[in-house]
Amino acid sequence: MQVQPKASHYINGRFVEDDQGELIQVTYPATGEVIAHVHAATPNIIELAIESAASAQREWARLKPVERGRVLRRAADILLQRNEYLARLETLDTGKAIQETLVADAPSAAEALEFFGGAVAAFNGAYFDLGGPFGYTRREPLGVCLGVGAWNYPIQIAGWKSAPALAMGNAMVFKPSENTPLSALALAEIYTEAGLPDGLFNVVQGLGPVGAALTSHPRIDKISLTGSVPTGRKVMATAGGQLKHATMELGGKSPIVVFDDADIENAIGGAMLGNFYSTGQVCSNGTRVFVQSGIRQRFLERLVERTKAIRIGDPLDPDTQMGPLINRDQREKVTSYIEIGRQEGAELLAGGGTPSMQGMDGGCFVEPTVFANVTDDMRIAREEIFGPVMCVLDFESEDEAIARANATEFGLAAGVFTNDMARAHRVTAQLQAGTCWINAYNLTPVEMPFGGFKQSGIGRENSLAALEHYSQLKSVYVETGAVDSPY
Ligand code: NDP
Protein backbone atom coordinates (compact mmCIF):
# COMPACT_ATOMS: atom_id res chain seq x y z
CA MET A 1 0.00 0.00 0.00
CA GLN A 2 1.98 2.96 -1.23
CA VAL A 3 0.61 6.50 -1.19
CA GLN A 4 3.82 8.32 -1.95
CA PRO A 5 3.14 12.01 -2.76
CA LYS A 6 4.82 13.57 -5.79
CA ALA A 7 7.16 15.50 -3.46
CA SER A 8 7.40 16.51 0.19
CA HIS A 9 6.34 20.14 -0.01
CA TYR A 10 3.87 22.21 -1.99
CA ILE A 11 5.05 25.75 -2.68
CA ASN A 12 3.91 28.39 -5.12
CA GLY A 13 1.35 26.09 -6.76
CA ARG A 14 3.62 23.07 -7.31
CA PHE A 15 5.29 20.15 -5.58
CA VAL A 16 8.85 20.86 -4.42
CA GLU A 17 11.49 18.46 -3.10
CA ASP A 18 14.64 19.01 -1.11
CA ASP A 19 16.05 15.68 0.00
CA GLN A 20 18.63 17.40 2.20
CA GLY A 21 15.91 17.60 4.86
CA GLU A 22 15.54 14.89 7.51
CA LEU A 23 13.73 11.78 6.26
CA ILE A 24 10.25 11.26 7.75
CA GLN A 25 8.73 7.84 7.21
CA VAL A 26 4.96 7.65 7.07
CA THR A 27 3.53 4.45 8.51
CA TYR A 28 0.06 2.92 8.38
CA PRO A 29 -0.81 2.66 12.08
CA ALA A 30 -2.81 -0.56 11.59
CA THR A 31 0.19 -2.54 10.34
CA GLY A 32 3.29 -0.46 10.84
CA GLU A 33 3.95 -0.67 7.09
CA VAL A 34 5.85 2.28 5.62
CA ILE A 35 3.47 3.76 3.05
CA ALA A 36 5.32 6.93 2.06
CA HIS A 37 8.16 9.17 3.05
CA VAL A 38 8.76 12.90 3.02
CA HIS A 39 11.66 15.15 3.94
CA ALA A 40 11.54 17.82 6.60
CA ALA A 41 11.84 21.36 5.30
CA THR A 42 15.33 22.83 5.09
CA PRO A 43 15.86 26.55 5.76
CA ASN A 44 15.72 27.08 1.96
CA ILE A 45 12.29 25.46 1.73
CA ILE A 46 11.02 27.56 4.64
CA GLU A 47 12.23 30.76 2.97
CA LEU A 48 10.74 29.75 -0.36
CA ALA A 49 7.33 29.01 1.17
CA ILE A 50 7.17 32.25 3.15
CA GLU A 51 8.46 34.32 0.24
CA SER A 52 5.89 32.91 -2.19
CA ALA A 53 3.10 33.39 0.36
CA ALA A 54 4.09 37.01 0.98
CA SER A 55 4.26 37.93 -2.68
CA ALA A 56 0.97 36.20 -3.59
CA GLN A 57 -0.95 37.71 -0.69
CA ARG A 58 -0.95 41.33 -1.84
CA GLU A 59 -2.88 40.68 -5.08
CA TRP A 60 -5.23 38.22 -3.40
CA ALA A 61 -6.18 40.74 -0.73
CA ARG A 62 -7.25 43.18 -3.46
CA LEU A 63 -9.93 40.85 -4.85
CA LYS A 64 -13.52 41.29 -3.82
CA PRO A 65 -14.39 38.93 -0.95
CA VAL A 66 -17.01 37.25 -3.13
CA GLU A 67 -14.32 36.47 -5.73
CA ARG A 68 -12.04 34.91 -3.14
CA GLY A 69 -15.00 33.02 -1.75
CA ARG A 70 -15.83 31.56 -5.16
CA VAL A 71 -12.44 29.83 -5.28
CA LEU A 72 -12.99 28.32 -1.84
CA ARG A 73 -16.44 27.09 -2.79
CA ARG A 74 -15.05 25.42 -5.91
CA ALA A 75 -12.39 23.74 -3.76
CA ALA A 76 -15.13 22.53 -1.39
CA ASP A 77 -16.91 20.85 -4.31
CA ILE A 78 -13.72 19.08 -5.40
CA LEU A 79 -13.07 17.91 -1.84
CA LEU A 80 -16.51 16.34 -1.71
CA GLN A 81 -16.16 14.77 -5.17
CA ARG A 82 -12.89 13.22 -4.01
CA ASN A 83 -14.16 12.22 -0.60
CA GLU A 84 -13.66 8.46 -1.00
CA TYR A 85 -10.07 8.86 -2.11
CA LEU A 86 -9.34 11.37 0.67
CA ALA A 87 -11.00 9.21 3.31
CA ARG A 88 -8.80 6.26 2.34
CA LEU A 89 -5.71 8.47 2.39
CA GLU A 90 -6.65 9.81 5.82
CA THR A 91 -7.31 6.30 7.14
CA LEU A 92 -3.92 5.12 5.90
CA ASP A 93 -2.22 8.15 7.40
CA THR A 94 -4.03 8.17 10.78
CA GLY A 95 -5.37 4.62 11.23
CA LYS A 96 -8.85 6.00 11.93
CA ALA A 97 -11.75 3.79 10.83
CA ILE A 98 -12.92 4.52 7.28
CA GLN A 99 -16.52 4.78 8.49
CA GLU A 100 -15.33 7.92 10.33
CA THR A 101 -13.00 9.41 7.73
CA LEU A 102 -15.77 9.20 5.12
CA VAL A 103 -17.99 11.52 7.16
CA ALA A 104 -15.80 13.54 9.51
CA ASP A 105 -12.60 14.57 7.78
CA ALA A 106 -12.66 15.91 4.20
CA PRO A 107 -16.42 16.68 4.53
CA SER A 108 -15.67 18.85 7.56
CA ALA A 109 -12.87 20.66 5.69
CA ALA A 110 -15.25 21.15 2.74
CA GLU A 111 -17.88 22.60 5.05
CA ALA A 112 -15.36 25.16 6.34
CA LEU A 113 -14.46 26.17 2.77
CA GLU A 114 -18.12 26.44 1.85
CA PHE A 115 -19.02 28.44 4.95
CA PHE A 116 -16.13 30.93 4.86
CA GLY A 117 -16.33 31.17 1.06
CA GLY A 118 -19.85 32.54 1.49
CA ALA A 119 -19.68 34.28 4.87
CA VAL A 120 -16.70 36.50 4.12
CA ALA A 121 -18.67 38.67 1.70
CA ALA A 122 -21.06 39.54 4.54
CA PHE A 123 -18.31 40.16 7.08
CA ASN A 124 -18.22 43.92 7.03
CA GLY A 125 -17.04 46.77 9.17
CA ALA A 126 -19.27 49.27 10.95
CA TYR A 127 -20.42 52.82 10.21
CA PHE A 128 -20.29 55.54 12.87
CA ASP A 129 -22.41 58.67 12.68
CA LEU A 130 -20.29 61.37 14.31
CA GLY A 131 -22.75 64.24 13.73
CA GLY A 132 -21.30 65.58 10.48
CA PRO A 133 -18.01 63.76 10.28
CA PHE A 134 -18.40 60.02 10.13
CA GLY A 135 -16.30 56.94 10.58
CA TYR A 136 -16.15 53.38 9.44
CA THR A 137 -14.13 50.29 10.12
CA ARG A 138 -12.50 47.95 7.64
CA ARG A 139 -11.58 44.35 8.30
CA GLU A 140 -8.17 43.84 6.70
CA PRO A 141 -6.08 40.69 6.35
CA LEU A 142 -3.03 40.12 8.55
CA GLY A 143 -0.66 38.94 5.80
CA VAL A 144 1.08 35.56 5.98
CA CYS A 145 -0.49 33.15 8.46
CA LEU A 146 1.13 30.00 9.73
CA GLY A 147 -1.00 26.92 10.42
CA VAL A 148 0.50 24.09 12.48
CA GLY A 149 -1.56 20.92 12.74
CA ALA A 150 -1.96 17.92 15.03
CA TRP A 151 -2.29 14.37 13.72
CA ASN A 152 -5.81 13.44 14.74
CA TYR A 153 -7.77 15.39 12.08
CA PRO A 154 -5.14 16.36 9.50
CA ILE A 155 -7.26 17.55 6.57
CA GLN A 156 -9.96 18.97 8.80
CA ILE A 157 -7.40 21.07 10.67
CA ALA A 158 -5.81 22.23 7.39
CA GLY A 159 -9.28 23.20 6.13
CA TRP A 160 -10.42 24.87 9.36
CA LYS A 161 -7.31 27.05 9.37
CA SER A 162 -6.86 27.82 5.68
CA ALA A 163 -10.51 28.55 4.87
CA PRO A 164 -10.99 31.62 7.10
CA ALA A 165 -7.40 32.75 6.50
CA LEU A 166 -7.72 32.68 2.70
CA ALA A 167 -11.30 33.97 2.65
CA MET A 168 -10.10 37.00 4.61
CA GLY A 169 -7.35 37.75 2.08
CA ASN A 170 -4.35 36.20 3.84
CA ALA A 171 -1.86 33.65 2.53
CA MET A 172 -1.00 30.52 4.53
CA VAL A 173 1.99 28.33 5.14
CA PHE A 174 0.79 25.08 6.70
CA LYS A 175 2.89 22.54 8.56
CA PRO A 176 1.12 19.25 9.18
CA SER A 177 2.14 16.95 12.02
CA GLU A 178 5.12 14.80 11.07
CA ASN A 179 2.87 11.77 11.74
CA THR A 180 0.33 12.74 9.08
CA PRO A 181 1.93 14.71 6.25
CA LEU A 182 -0.17 13.48 3.33
CA SER A 183 -3.65 14.99 3.19
CA ALA A 184 -2.56 18.64 3.46
CA LEU A 185 -0.67 18.09 0.19
CA ALA A 186 -3.87 16.74 -1.37
CA LEU A 187 -5.72 19.84 -0.16
CA ALA A 188 -3.03 22.09 -1.67
CA GLU A 189 -3.45 20.41 -5.07
CA ILE A 190 -7.21 20.82 -4.83
CA TYR A 191 -6.86 24.53 -4.07
CA THR A 192 -4.73 24.95 -7.19
CA GLU A 193 -7.25 23.01 -9.27
CA ALA A 194 -10.02 25.24 -7.93
CA GLY A 195 -8.17 28.31 -9.17
CA LEU A 196 -6.39 29.52 -6.05
CA PRO A 197 -3.48 31.66 -7.25
CA ASP A 198 -0.04 30.13 -6.73
CA GLY A 199 1.64 30.80 -3.41
CA LEU A 200 -1.44 31.34 -1.29
CA PHE A 201 -1.50 27.91 0.32
CA ASN A 202 1.87 26.27 0.87
CA VAL A 203 2.60 23.04 2.71
CA VAL A 204 5.96 22.39 4.31
CA GLN A 205 6.83 19.24 6.22
CA GLY A 206 8.79 18.83 9.39
CA LEU A 207 8.93 18.09 13.08
CA GLY A 208 8.86 20.49 16.01
CA PRO A 209 12.04 22.38 14.99
CA VAL A 210 10.52 23.26 11.60
CA GLY A 211 7.40 24.46 13.43
CA ALA A 212 9.61 26.52 15.73
CA ALA A 213 11.60 28.03 12.82
CA LEU A 214 8.37 28.99 11.06
CA THR A 215 6.84 30.37 14.25
CA SER A 216 9.77 32.70 14.92
CA HIS A 217 10.14 33.85 11.30
CA PRO A 218 9.72 37.64 11.18
CA ARG A 219 7.52 37.49 8.05
CA ILE A 220 4.89 35.32 9.72
CA ASP A 221 2.14 37.64 10.95
CA LYS A 222 -0.14 35.17 12.68
CA ILE A 223 0.15 31.66 14.07
CA SER A 224 -2.66 29.19 14.49
CA LEU A 225 -1.62 26.02 16.31
CA THR A 226 -3.59 22.88 17.03
CA GLY A 227 -1.61 20.81 19.48
CA SER A 228 -0.85 20.06 23.09
CA VAL A 229 -0.67 22.57 25.94
CA PRO A 230 3.15 22.32 26.31
CA THR A 231 3.64 23.09 22.59
CA GLY A 232 1.04 25.86 22.85
CA ARG A 233 3.02 27.49 25.67
CA LYS A 234 6.22 27.46 23.59
CA VAL A 235 4.55 28.82 20.48
CA MET A 236 2.67 31.46 22.45
CA ALA A 237 5.92 32.59 24.10
CA THR A 238 7.51 33.06 20.66
CA ALA A 239 4.43 34.85 19.36
CA GLY A 240 4.38 37.07 22.46
CA GLY A 241 8.05 37.96 22.06
CA GLN A 242 7.35 39.24 18.56
CA LEU A 243 3.81 40.49 19.26
CA LYS A 244 2.29 38.22 16.62
CA HIS A 245 -1.37 37.32 16.49
CA ALA A 246 -1.98 33.79 17.76
CA THR A 247 -4.78 31.26 17.97
CA MET A 248 -4.16 28.23 20.17
CA GLU A 249 -6.36 25.12 19.94
CA LEU A 250 -4.96 22.93 22.69
CA GLY A 251 -5.73 19.91 24.81
CA GLY A 252 -8.39 19.11 27.35
CA LYS A 253 -9.78 16.87 30.08
CA SER A 254 -13.38 17.75 29.57
CA PRO A 255 -16.28 16.75 31.83
CA ILE A 256 -19.59 15.16 30.90
CA VAL A 257 -22.20 15.49 33.66
CA VAL A 258 -25.01 12.92 33.58
CA PHE A 259 -27.95 13.65 35.88
CA ASP A 260 -30.34 11.03 37.25
CA ASP A 261 -33.15 12.20 34.97
CA ALA A 262 -31.17 11.89 31.73
CA ASP A 263 -32.16 9.59 28.91
CA ILE A 264 -29.70 6.90 29.84
CA GLU A 265 -29.10 5.43 26.38
CA ASN A 266 -28.46 8.89 24.94
CA ALA A 267 -26.12 9.77 27.77
CA ILE A 268 -24.17 6.55 27.29
CA GLY A 269 -24.07 7.13 23.52
CA GLY A 270 -22.76 10.66 24.10
CA ALA A 271 -20.15 9.50 26.59
CA MET A 272 -18.97 6.79 24.20
CA LEU A 273 -18.75 9.24 21.29
CA GLY A 274 -16.84 11.56 23.58
CA ASN A 275 -14.29 8.91 24.50
CA PHE A 276 -13.97 6.37 21.74
CA TYR A 277 -14.44 8.25 18.44
CA SER A 278 -11.14 8.44 16.54
CA THR A 279 -9.79 5.90 19.05
CA GLY A 280 -10.11 8.56 21.74
CA GLN A 281 -7.73 10.96 20.00
CA VAL A 282 -9.99 14.00 20.10
CA CYS A 283 -9.06 17.20 21.92
CA SER A 284 -12.57 17.91 23.17
CA ASN A 285 -13.22 14.40 24.50
CA GLY A 286 -15.29 14.19 27.66
CA THR A 287 -12.91 11.90 29.48
CA ARG A 288 -14.29 12.63 32.97
CA VAL A 289 -17.83 11.28 33.01
CA PHE A 290 -19.62 12.37 36.21
CA VAL A 291 -22.66 10.17 36.80
CA GLN A 292 -25.23 10.99 39.50
CA SER A 293 -25.53 8.20 42.04
CA GLY A 294 -29.18 7.37 41.29
CA ILE A 295 -28.44 5.97 37.83
CA ARG A 296 -24.86 4.92 38.38
CA GLN A 297 -25.48 1.19 38.42
CA ARG A 298 -27.68 1.06 35.31
CA PHE A 299 -25.38 3.48 33.49
CA LEU A 300 -22.31 1.36 34.13
CA GLU A 301 -24.00 -1.92 33.18
CA ARG A 302 -25.18 -0.66 29.80
CA LEU A 303 -21.97 1.29 29.19
CA VAL A 304 -19.87 -1.84 29.66
CA GLU A 305 -22.21 -3.88 27.49
CA ARG A 306 -22.08 -1.34 24.67
CA THR A 307 -18.32 -0.77 25.01
CA LYS A 308 -17.58 -4.48 24.74
CA ALA A 309 -19.59 -4.60 21.51
CA ILE A 310 -17.37 -2.03 19.75
CA ARG A 311 -15.86 -3.58 16.63
CA ILE A 312 -12.13 -2.95 16.68
CA GLY A 313 -9.89 -3.95 13.80
CA ASP A 314 -8.98 -3.24 10.19
CA PRO A 315 -9.65 0.48 9.68
CA LEU A 316 -10.32 -0.01 5.96
CA ASP A 317 -13.18 -2.44 6.68
CA PRO A 318 -16.40 -0.38 6.60
CA ASP A 319 -17.75 -2.38 9.55
CA THR A 320 -14.86 -1.49 11.82
CA GLN A 321 -15.78 1.05 14.48
CA MET A 322 -12.36 1.61 16.04
CA GLY A 323 -8.91 1.53 14.50
CA PRO A 324 -5.48 1.70 16.13
CA LEU A 325 -3.78 4.65 17.78
CA ILE A 326 -1.51 6.82 15.66
CA ASN A 327 1.80 5.16 16.59
CA ARG A 328 3.72 3.08 19.10
CA ASP A 329 4.65 6.04 21.29
CA GLN A 330 1.00 6.94 21.68
CA ARG A 331 0.10 3.32 22.46
CA GLU A 332 2.88 3.26 25.03
CA LYS A 333 1.51 6.45 26.58
CA VAL A 334 -2.09 5.20 26.66
CA THR A 335 -1.21 1.76 28.09
CA SER A 336 0.97 3.36 30.74
CA TYR A 337 -2.01 5.48 31.82
CA ILE A 338 -4.16 2.34 31.98
CA GLU A 339 -1.56 0.84 34.29
CA ILE A 340 -1.47 4.03 36.36
CA GLY A 341 -5.28 3.86 36.66
CA ARG A 342 -5.06 0.30 37.96
CA GLN A 343 -2.38 1.22 40.48
CA GLU A 344 -4.32 4.25 41.64
CA GLY A 345 -7.20 1.93 42.55
CA ALA A 346 -9.69 2.73 39.81
CA GLU A 347 -11.94 -0.18 38.86
CA LEU A 348 -11.29 -1.48 35.34
CA LEU A 349 -14.72 -2.44 33.97
CA ALA A 350 -13.93 -2.91 30.28
CA GLY A 351 -10.93 -3.10 27.99
CA GLY A 352 -7.44 -2.29 29.16
CA GLY A 353 -5.77 -4.68 26.72
CA THR A 354 -3.73 -4.30 23.54
CA PRO A 355 -5.27 -6.80 21.13
CA SER A 356 -3.29 -8.14 18.20
CA MET A 357 -5.33 -8.36 15.05
CA GLN A 358 -4.85 -11.04 12.47
CA GLY A 359 -2.65 -9.79 9.64
CA MET A 360 -1.97 -6.53 11.51
CA ASP A 361 0.79 -7.53 13.91
CA GLY A 362 2.45 -4.13 13.86
CA GLY A 363 -0.84 -2.33 14.64
CA CYS A 364 -1.11 0.03 17.60
CA PHE A 365 -4.45 -1.23 18.90
CA VAL A 366 -5.80 -0.58 22.39
CA GLU A 367 -9.19 -1.78 23.60
CA PRO A 368 -11.85 0.79 24.46
CA THR A 369 -11.39 1.07 28.20
CA VAL A 370 -13.73 2.07 31.03
CA PHE A 371 -12.62 2.84 34.57
CA ALA A 372 -15.20 3.31 37.35
CA ASN A 373 -14.72 4.52 40.93
CA VAL A 374 -12.35 7.16 39.65
CA THR A 375 -11.63 10.02 42.03
CA ASP A 376 -10.66 13.60 41.21
CA ASP A 377 -7.10 13.28 42.51
CA MET A 378 -6.14 10.34 40.28
CA ARG A 379 -3.77 11.11 37.42
CA ILE A 380 -6.11 9.40 34.96
CA ALA A 381 -8.73 12.00 35.95
CA ARG A 382 -6.39 14.97 35.72
CA GLU A 383 -4.10 14.42 32.73
CA GLU A 384 -4.94 14.25 29.04
CA ILE A 385 -4.44 10.64 27.89
CA PHE A 386 -5.49 11.07 24.24
CA GLY A 387 -6.68 7.52 23.82
CA PRO A 388 -9.86 5.45 24.35
CA VAL A 389 -9.87 5.60 28.16
CA MET A 390 -13.07 6.74 29.88
CA CYS A 391 -13.10 7.64 33.58
CA VAL A 392 -16.45 7.41 35.36
CA LEU A 393 -16.78 9.43 38.57
CA ASP A 394 -19.77 9.51 40.92
CA PHE A 395 -21.53 12.60 42.27
CA GLU A 396 -24.56 13.51 44.39
CA SER A 397 -25.54 17.16 43.89
CA GLU A 398 -25.61 19.69 41.07
CA ASP A 399 -23.29 22.13 42.85
CA GLU A 400 -20.82 19.39 43.59
CA ALA A 401 -20.77 18.29 39.93
CA ILE A 402 -20.16 21.84 38.71
CA ALA A 403 -17.33 22.47 41.17
CA ARG A 404 -15.61 19.19 40.38
CA ALA A 405 -16.12 19.54 36.60
CA ASN A 406 -14.40 22.94 36.78
CA ALA A 407 -11.52 21.81 38.98
CA THR A 408 -9.05 21.45 36.12
CA GLU A 409 -6.51 23.64 34.35
CA PHE A 410 -8.23 22.81 31.04
CA GLY A 411 -11.44 24.30 29.65
CA LEU A 412 -12.03 23.10 26.12
CA ALA A 413 -15.47 21.50 26.29
CA ALA A 414 -18.18 20.07 28.54
CA GLY A 415 -21.40 18.10 28.24
CA VAL A 416 -24.59 17.94 30.28
CA PHE A 417 -27.19 15.20 30.00
CA THR A 418 -30.54 15.86 31.66
CA ASN A 419 -34.19 16.16 30.73
CA ASP A 420 -34.59 19.23 32.97
CA MET A 421 -33.88 22.09 30.54
CA ALA A 422 -33.76 24.75 33.24
CA ARG A 423 -31.05 22.76 34.95
CA ALA A 424 -29.24 22.14 31.65
CA HIS A 425 -28.88 25.87 30.99
CA ARG A 426 -28.14 26.73 34.63
CA VAL A 427 -25.31 24.21 34.78
CA THR A 428 -23.96 25.08 31.35
CA ALA A 429 -23.73 28.74 32.31
CA GLN A 430 -21.43 27.78 35.20
CA LEU A 431 -19.15 25.35 33.35
CA GLN A 432 -15.75 26.80 32.48
CA ALA A 433 -15.48 25.53 28.92
CA GLY A 434 -15.36 27.07 25.46
CA THR A 435 -17.92 24.68 23.99
CA CYS A 436 -20.78 23.03 25.91
CA TRP A 437 -23.24 20.45 24.64
CA ILE A 438 -26.65 19.74 26.10
CA ASN A 439 -27.79 16.16 25.47
CA ALA A 440 -25.13 15.71 22.79
CA TYR A 441 -21.36 15.49 22.58
CA ASN A 442 -18.49 16.39 20.25
CA LEU A 443 -20.49 18.02 17.50
CA THR A 444 -18.63 21.01 16.04
CA PRO A 445 -20.75 22.68 13.35
CA VAL A 446 -18.81 25.28 11.38
CA GLU A 447 -21.49 27.88 12.17
CA MET A 448 -20.50 27.90 15.87
CA PRO A 449 -17.23 29.12 17.42
CA PHE A 450 -14.88 26.44 18.73
CA GLY A 451 -12.01 26.97 21.15
CA GLY A 452 -10.88 26.76 24.73
CA PHE A 453 -11.10 28.51 28.08
CA LYS A 454 -8.19 28.45 30.54
CA GLN A 455 -5.16 26.38 29.39
CA SER A 456 -7.09 24.85 26.48
CA GLY A 457 -6.59 27.77 24.18
CA ILE A 458 -6.83 31.31 22.99
CA GLY A 459 -8.91 32.53 20.06
CA ARG A 460 -11.61 30.67 18.18
CA GLU A 461 -11.95 28.59 15.05
CA ASN A 462 -15.13 28.24 12.96
CA SER A 463 -17.96 30.80 12.67
CA LEU A 464 -17.53 34.52 12.04
CA ALA A 465 -15.29 34.59 15.13
CA ALA A 466 -12.58 32.88 13.06
CA LEU A 467 -12.71 35.71 10.50
CA GLU A 468 -12.09 38.15 13.35
CA HIS A 469 -9.03 36.17 14.36
CA TYR A 470 -7.64 36.21 10.80
CA SER A 471 -8.09 39.95 10.34
CA GLN A 472 -7.24 43.29 11.88
CA LEU A 473 -9.56 46.20 12.33
CA LYS A 474 -8.85 49.57 10.77
CA SER A 475 -10.81 52.65 11.90
CA VAL A 476 -11.27 55.42 9.36
CA TYR A 477 -12.38 58.91 10.45
CA VAL A 478 -13.80 61.10 7.69
CA GLU A 479 -14.04 64.87 8.13
CA THR A 480 -16.79 66.57 6.14
CA GLY A 481 -16.14 70.15 7.26
CA ALA A 482 -13.20 72.43 7.95
CA VAL A 483 -10.37 71.27 10.20
CA ASP A 484 -10.90 72.77 13.64
CA SER A 485 -7.31 73.59 14.56
CA PRO A 486 -6.10 76.04 17.25
CA TYR A 487 -2.86 76.69 15.32
P1 NDP B 1 1.88 18.46 19.60
O1 NDP B 1 1.72 19.62 20.49
O2 NDP B 1 2.95 17.48 19.91
O3 NDP B 1 2.15 18.94 18.10
C1 NDP B 1 1.27 19.81 17.41
C2 NDP B 1 2.00 20.39 16.22
O4 NDP B 1 3.00 21.32 16.67
C3 NDP B 1 2.75 19.36 15.38
O5 NDP B 1 2.67 19.71 14.03
C4 NDP B 1 4.16 19.48 15.91
O6 NDP B 1 5.12 18.99 15.01
C5 NDP B 1 4.26 20.97 16.12
N1 NDP B 1 5.28 21.41 17.04
C6 NDP B 1 5.91 20.72 18.02
N2 NDP B 1 6.78 21.51 18.67
C7 NDP B 1 6.69 22.74 18.11
C8 NDP B 1 7.32 24.01 18.36
N3 NDP B 1 8.22 24.16 19.34
N4 NDP B 1 6.96 25.06 17.59
C9 NDP B 1 6.03 24.94 16.63
N5 NDP B 1 5.42 23.76 16.34
C10 NDP B 1 5.73 22.69 17.07
O7 NDP B 1 0.46 17.77 19.53
P2 NDP B 1 0.05 16.40 18.84
O8 NDP B 1 0.38 16.45 17.40
O9 NDP B 1 0.60 15.30 19.67
O10 NDP B 1 -1.53 16.46 18.96
C11 NDP B 1 -2.21 16.09 20.10
C12 NDP B 1 -2.58 17.31 20.94
O11 NDP B 1 -3.31 18.23 20.14
C13 NDP B 1 -3.49 16.95 22.09
O12 NDP B 1 -3.08 17.63 23.24
C14 NDP B 1 -4.84 17.45 21.63
O13 NDP B 1 -5.71 17.74 22.67
C15 NDP B 1 -4.48 18.65 20.83
N6 NDP B 1 -5.54 18.97 19.87
C16 NDP B 1 -6.29 20.11 20.08
C17 NDP B 1 -7.37 20.40 19.24
C18 NDP B 1 -8.19 21.64 19.44
O14 NDP B 1 -8.83 22.07 18.48
N7 NDP B 1 -8.24 22.24 20.62
C19 NDP B 1 -7.74 19.50 18.15
C20 NDP B 1 -6.86 18.38 18.00
C21 NDP B 1 -5.81 18.12 18.86
P3 NDP B 1 5.48 17.42 14.99
O15 NDP B 1 4.31 16.64 15.41
O16 NDP B 1 5.78 17.19 13.57
O17 NDP B 1 6.63 17.26 15.93
Side-chain angles (χ1 to χ4, degrees), residues 28 137 188 191 195 213 232 280 288 290 321 389 393 470 474 477:
Y28 178 34
T137 52
Y191 270 134
R288 293 181 296 140
F290 292 91
Q321 294 171 315
V389 181
L393 304 93
Y470 280 103
K474 179 181 279 176
Y477 178 101

Side-chain angles (χ1 to χ4, degrees), residues 159-473:
W160 281 21
K161 294 191 189 308
S162 60
L166 295 173
M168 205 54 239
N170 301 283
M172 176 160 272
V173 175
F174 186 79
K175 189 203 86 65
S177 162
E178 112 238 8
N179 293 306
T180 52
L182 302 178
S183 58
L185 293 169
L187 176 64
E189 267 187 301
I190 288 173
Y191 270 134
T192 299
E193 218 176 306
L196 187 75
D198 293 347
L200 288 169
F201 183 72
N202 306 281
V203 177
V204 299
Q205 308 292 352
L207 292 84
V210 170
L214 287 161
T215 304
S216 59
H217 197 289
R219 293 190 74 179
I220 294 291
D221 300 294
K222 187 228 159 79
I223 305 159
S224 177
L225 169 82
T226 296
S228 60
V229 171
T231 305
R233 286 201 184 103
K234 283 189 221 159
V235 171
M236 198 68 203
T238 308
Q242 300 179 6
L243 285 178
K244 286 178 180 172
H245 295 250
T247 297
M248 298 287 130
E249 290 291 347
L250 309 177
K253 191 78 195 175
S254 300
I256 296 178
V257 182
V258 182
F259 287 97
D260 279 346
D261 67 346
D263 177 309
I264 197 159
E265 289 298 324
N266 279 342
I268 292 167
M272 289 175 74
L273 271 174
N275 278 273
F276 301 142
Y277 206 70
S278 296
T279 319
Q281 303 161 115
V282 182
C283 51
S284 48
N285 268 358
T287 44
R288 293 181 296 140
V289 181
F290 292 91
V291 181
Q292 205 165 16
S293 53
I295 53 161
R296 177 182 187 276
Q297 205 48 42
R298 270 193 308 140
F299 184 94
L300 287 176
E301 276 163 21
R302 279 292 291 146
L303 171 64
V304 168
E305 214 175 333
R306 288 175 62 176
T307 300
K308 286 185 172 162
I310 288 177
R311 288 189 295 276
I312 178 169
D314 178 0
L316 289 169
D317 179 343
D319 289 331
T320 294
Q321 294 171 315
M322 188 187 281
L325 290 162
I326 185 74
N327 57 27
R328 280 164 192 227
D329 285 352
Q330 193 62 19
R331 186 171 67 171
E332 190 62 35
K333 180 180 168 195
V334 172
T335 51
S336 75
Y337 270 109
I338 292 172
E339 190 46 40
I340 289 168
R342 280 195 174 110
Q343 283 172 12
E344 286 178 317
E347 188 185 354
L348 183 66
L349 290 187
T354 51
S356 48
M357 301 287 158
Q358 208 181 1
M360 291 179 288
D361 294 339
C364 304
F365 294 93
V366 173
E367 287 170 344
T369 299
V370 176
F371 278 112
N373 285 330
V374 177
T375 53
D376 298 344
D377 55 330
M378 291 180 184
R379 281 184 64 196
I380 55 168
R382 287 187 285 117
E383 298 171 17
E384 186 183 44
I385 300 174
F386 223 54
V389 181
M390 185 195 300
C391 294
V392 180
L393 304 93
D394 313 330
F395 77 95
E396 300 293 334
S397 76
E398 183 179 310
D399 287 346
E400 175 202 345
I402 294 165
R404 290 172 57 199
N406 286 338
T408 166
E409 60 173 347
F410 300 110
L412 191 55
V416 178
F417 283 85
T418 173
N419 276 324
D420 176 346
M421 278 305 115
R423 170 152 72 188
H425 295 293
R426 186 169 65 233
V427 171
T428 300
Q430 294 174 78
L431 289 172
Q432 297 163 353
T435 299
C436 294
W437 292 279
I438 294 174
N439 294 331
Y441 206 80
N442 261 355
L443 301 172
T444 52
V446 67
E447 294 87 347
M448 291 177 68
F450 181 77
F453 281 15
K454 302 200 276 189
Q455 298 289 297
S456 290
I458 292 176
R460 290 294 176 268
E461 294 199 305
N462 287 347
S463 80
L464 298 182
L467 291 175
E468 284 171 23
H469 289 289
Y470 280 103
S471 62
Q472 52 195 336
L473 200 56

Side-chain angles (χ1 to χ4, degrees), residues 37-52:
H37 64 266
V38 294
H39 291 274
T42 56
N44 277 345
I45 288 288
I46 291 175
E47 285 305 319
L48 206 62
I50 294 177
E51 178 54 43
S52 68

